[in-house]
Amino acid sequence: MPKLPNLPRPLAANRAGCRSATLLATLCLLVGCAARPAGEGATLHRWTQLGPDGHISLRSIVDGTGDCPTAIVDGAGVPLQVRAGATASEAPRQLPDNPAFRPEFAVTACEATLPAAARQASIGNDALPMPAADPRRIVIVGDTGCRIQVPARGTADPIQNCASASDWPWPRLAAAAAATRPDLVIHLGDYHYREYCDDPARCAPLRAQGVVIGYGWAGWQADFLAPSQPLLAAAPWIVVRGNHENCDRGGEGWMRFLSPLPYQQCTNQAYRTASQSVLGDNLTADAYRIELGERLTLVVADNAAFADYLPLAPAADDLAILQRTLRALTTAPAGRPHWLLIHKPLWYDLLPAAAPPNALQSLARSGLPASLQFVFSGHEHAFATLNFAGSTGRPAQVIVGASGTQLEAFDPQSPLYEGAAPGSREQTEPDGRLHDGIAASSGIVLNRYSFLLLEHANDGWEGTLIDADGRTISRCRLDGAGRQVDCSFPARP
């Protein structure tokens, strides 16, 4: 397969803005304004997020209990404020207490909210990526963390080798995605997967390789922040919450670093019990809209704690919550294309084919606007598309969930498990199952580590599915008016 070339960035104005910000930071350094004030902590990470109401959120993490930095925004100093202070570890947990409750974060999370009109920003000598007025290159990733969930006894999930660049390719995928020079990055959820490892026999080899595991700062640094650095520096991000960021799992890190809500501490919830996260007690954020220039609206929704595997009857409360939290979608202005960004898909191959509709599918039967063209999700660790006949009124479902977390192909409990036959569960067309009573008209499934690059062309979008070496796997065409996405099927691996 041909290697993806280094494609030019289309917006000269965006490049000029980055040069201006770099020049501004250099001038500040010469006159002393970039010097770190006494007490200010070393900035470990910095990035830009797009959030509700058109705001731009500058985020940074500083070491220890140091003060937050001051950003230079359009020539003026803007101090970042403390979002969540550093914490110390409490007494060692006693199994089976929830290890995700109050983990140690020996860093301070900082934030400043800027108006949509802001054009240049830097922290210290580093220019921060700012939103393009007309984004034309969008990178989409999902499910990036390294999978480690090993109890002291009982059945464990398969262990992913986080020390292997081939077994856990997220660092390579992040670098390859950054090399495409995107205007925007969308992460569809599941950033943190290094949860716990309590079986000495199975965990010793991991620890011998220096693999970091845990819900606190060290786990988030190893699983997401450090390997994502080149992509965090490349473009502003839109972040979607995954179920691994629920309060009974990696929710504390999500609330500290990524959530669009002001920081709140997750309550103590026991993993895989009746008290675990559900929509009603997971600090679920309302959906919000992000306008991409004059052509497109993105709706970002938190359905991470949604019980997608349950039919509506046992989870009746979910329907009312989804109706409230998805109001930004159902009240969207008519006549403008919309894409929905959620972690758990509306329709996908991991749900039983004969299952009654769940709450989200019930809402979709009557609550989705005609302007909704595509639903982008993760959760299924593969790349997949589902198209439905135009008469159904359904948008196309696109799943980008193969950006680092162990693929469905390697999980014996998954219907897409391939065993010793690579490619055997990939699909050139739908398998005929019904998705809430309707069969898909077309679509593919690929069990390959990848990210999706979308490029605006003429009046539509073209997609390239790319692997960790920057090589093209598949090419796609998104037909917004027809609510269809058509992707080429590559040669078998």
Side-chain angles (χ1 to χ4, degrees):
M1 291 178 285
K3 188 175 180 63
L4 184 73
N6 287 329
L7 299 169
R9 193 178 184 90
L11 293 178
N14 208 28
R15 291 197 301 269
C18 290
R19 287 196 298 269
S20 299
T22 302
L23 177 60
L24 177 62
T26 302
L27 291 174
C28 280
L29 180 62
L30 291 175
V31 300
C33 62
R36 188 194 312 162
E40 184 174 293
T43 302
L44 304 174
H45 298 286
R46 63 200 67 78
W47 68 95
T48 310
Q49 288 181 208
L50 305 186
D53 302 319
H55 289 157
I56 304 166
S57 179
L58 302 185
R59 304 282 175 110
S60 74
I61 301 172
V62 300
D63 60 353
T65 57
D67 294 336
C68 291
T70 294
I72 304 299
V73 180
D74 295 335
V78 176
L80 275 69
Q81 304 300 317
V82 173
R83 177 177 171 85
T87 64
S89 60
E90 299 184 355
R93 71 182 178 96
Q94 301 296 316
L95 296 177
D97 287 352
N98 182 10
F101 183 55
R102 294 185 178 174
E104 180 179 3
F105 282 87
V107 293
T108 296
C110 307
E111 178 181 20
T113 300
L114 309 182
R119 290 293 174 261
Q120 301 171 5
S122 61
I123 293 178
N125 298 324
D126 297 308
L128 289 163
M130 299 295 281
D134 182 26
R136 304 182 69 86
R137 299 170 61 76
I138 302 175
V139 159
I140 303 180
V141 301
D143 300 82
T144 56
C146 186
R147 183 178 188 174
I148 302 177
Q149 299 162 280
V150 184
R153 63 188 69 85
T155 303
D157 289 339
I159 295 178
Q160 194 170 5
N161 184 358
C162 309
S164 168
S166 58
D167 288 356
W168 182 55
W170 169 237
R172 296 167 54 219
L173 284 162
T180 68
R181 304 178 69 184
D183 298 308
L184 177 67
V185 176
I186 296 171
H187 195 306
L188 294 169
D190 280 4
Y191 311 76
H192 178 272
Y193 244 100
R194 302 176 186 225
E195 300 196 59
Y196 51 84
C197 204
D198 295 329
D199 181 343
R202 298 191 65 191
C203 303
L206 293 177
R207 302 192 189 283
Q209 296 180 79
V211 173
V212 175
I213 306 166
Y215 291 100
W217 162 243
W220 272 87
Q221 165 79 336
D223 222 15
F224 174 65
L225 290 156
S228 303
Q229 189 60 42
L231 196 51
L232 288 169
W237 281 49
I238 294 174
V239 293
V240 179
R241 186 183 193 178
N243 59 296
H244 278 258
E245 289 76 57
N246 283 344
C247 277
D248 59 350
R249 305 177 88 170
E252 180 65 21
W254 165 261
M255 292 303 301
R256 286 175 170 271
F257 302 137
L258 298 174
S259 172
L261 296 172
Y263 171 74
Q264 302 174 69
Q265 186 178 76
C266 283
T267 57
N268 190 9
Q269 300 173 343
Y271 181 46
R272 288 179 176 169
T273 71
S275 68
Q276 73 179 45
S277 293
V278 294
L279 283 171
D281 70 353
N282 198 46
L283 304 178
T284 298
D286 287 346
Y288 55 93
R289 293 192 289 264
I290 295 176
E291 309 296 340
L292 296 188
E294 298 298 323
R295 69 167 55 100
L296 179 65
T297 297
L298 303 180
V299 178
V300 186
D302 177 359
N303 74 339
F306 161 60
D308 60 331
Y309 53 90
L310 291 178
L312 177 60
D317 291 345
D318 280 5
L319 181 57
I321 296 172
L322 287 168
Q323 287 172 329
R324 186 188 76 240
T325 58
L326 285 172
R327 182 173 172 79
L329 173 65
T330 57
T331 61
R336 182 178 170 93
H338 287 73
W339 297 356
L340 176 61
L341 311 180
I342 53 177
H343 179 66
K344 293 183 177 180
L346 265 169
W347 310 282
Y348 65 119
D349 290 339
L350 300 191
L351 294 179
N358 57 37
L360 186 56
Q361 292 168 347
S362 299
L363 176 66
R365 287 179 168 187
S366 59
L368 298 182
S371 58
L372 179 60
Q373 298 176 340
F374 303 101
V375 179
F376 287 91
S377 309
H379 198 52
E380 178 175 298
H381 303 156
F383 174 79
T385 63
L386 286 174
N387 297 309
F388 298 91
S391 59
T392 67
R394 288 185 175 183
Q397 173 73 69
V398 183
I399 296 173
V400 185
S403 301
T405 299
Q406 187 179 61
L407 297 174
E408 301 291 338
F410 303 139
D411 184 355
Q413 300 180 37
S414 172
L416 299 179
Y417 177 59
E418 294 180 344
S424 60
R425 294 293 183 179
E426 294 190 332
Q427 299 174 16
T428 60
E429 58 185 23
D431 58 10
R433 74 169 61 199
L434 301 182
H435 297 275
D436 186 18
I438 300 174
S441 58
S442 63
I444 67 172
V445 174
L446 297 176
N447 283 323
R448 312 195 192 191
Y449 289 116
S450 55
F451 66 92
L452 182 63
L453 172 66
L454 297 181
E455 299 175 272
H456 192 258
N458 300 321
D459 293 328
W461 292 85
E462 295 178 352
T464 307
L465 192 67
I466 300 171
D467 71 10
D469 294 318
R471 297 176 299 188
T472 296
I473 299 172
S474 172
R475 294 195 182 275
C476 305
R477 175 68 182 173
L478 281 68
D479 175 9
R483 294 171 150 188
Q484 300 280 304
V485 54
D486 296 314
C487 299
S488 61
F489 193 86
R492 295 287 184 183

